[in-house]
Amino acid sequence: ITVVGDLSTTLRTRIGKFYNADIFMPSERELRACFHDFESGISVLVNRLYQVSKIKEIFLSLADRGVMFFRRPPQGTYTMETAHVPPLSERCEDLMGIGDAFLVGVAMGRVCGAEEVQSMYLGAACSAIHGRQIGGGPLTRDAIHHLLDERPELSRT
């Protein structure tokens, strides 16, 4: 069973609730609020999160700057592998639920065997599609294929 965690900032938010999560997705703002640290760099915060948890994969939402993936550093090293995927749509009609749509895409990709960056790209596609619809709606396979077909970096020519 894959355990997926999403963070919602309240005064009672505790990272410990997500101790063994396979996939964890906070926003930068939520992560900073949890640690009461609004000055450190993102990698410092993510490293601190890895130190206090057994979370396996962190996908950090950077709001309108996209999403970053951080791989837990191997034991005895301090170098963290990262990847970034920018937003796939410049048009966003409705922000409500786009983080959840992203998380669904990432989880779907990871459960089906996709690599982290492939999963991030699928998540970014899901959030872009969801954000284009006011009030949200179901994500369809056709809509995902259509958005991915529009991406010039994915063309085979």
Side-chain angles (χ1 to χ4, degrees), residues 58-139:
I58 297 172
F59 296 87
L60 184 70
S61 170
L62 302 172
D64 61 351
R65 299 173 315 208
V67 178
M68 287 189 77
F69 167 75
F70 296 86
R71 176 172 282 128
R72 179 186 287 275
Q75 190 88 15
T77 66
Y78 297 101
T79 306
M80 211 175 329
E81 185 178 330
T82 65
H84 174 258
V85 171
L88 298 185
S89 179
E90 292 181 16
R91 187 180 103 227
C92 188
E93 303 294 330
D94 190 353
L95 291 172
M96 194 67 148
I98 62 172
D100 296 327
F102 177 85
L103 191 56
V104 165
V106 168
M108 187 171 48
R110 295 301 286 143
V111 167
C112 292
E115 296 293 325
E116 293 91 351
V117 175
Q118 293 169 324
S119 297
M120 283 173 57
Y121 213 94
L122 180 58
C126 291
S127 66
I129 294 163
H130 186 79
R132 289 178 179 177
Q133 310 170 50
I134 294 180
L139 295 170

Side-chain angles (χ1 to χ4, degrees), residues 140-156:
T140 65
R141 180 175 38 191
D142 289 341
I144 293 169
H145 283 266
H146 184 336
L147 181 106
L148 295 176
D149 286 342
E150 293 175 354
R151 303 302 304 177
E153 67 271 21
L154 297 178
S155 74
R156 295 179 190 223

Side-chain angles (χ1 to χ4, degrees), residues 21-65:
D22 295 297
I23 298 169
F24 185 61
M25 187 182 156
S27 70
E28 177 184 359
R29 184 178 53 89
E30 291 166 340
L31 189 58
R32 289 185 181 285
C34 278
F35 287 120
H36 306 289
D37 184 343
F38 299 92
E39 310 225 348
S40 296
I42 292 173
S43 60
V44 171
L45 294 170
V46 170
N47 190 48
R48 195 197 246 155
L49 178 58
Y50 273 136
Q51 288 174 355
V52 300
S53 73
K54 286 191 175 180
I55 293 169
K56 294 173 185 71
E57 298 177 358
I58 297 172
F59 296 87
L60 184 70
S61 170
L62 302 172
D64 61 351
R65 299 173 315 208

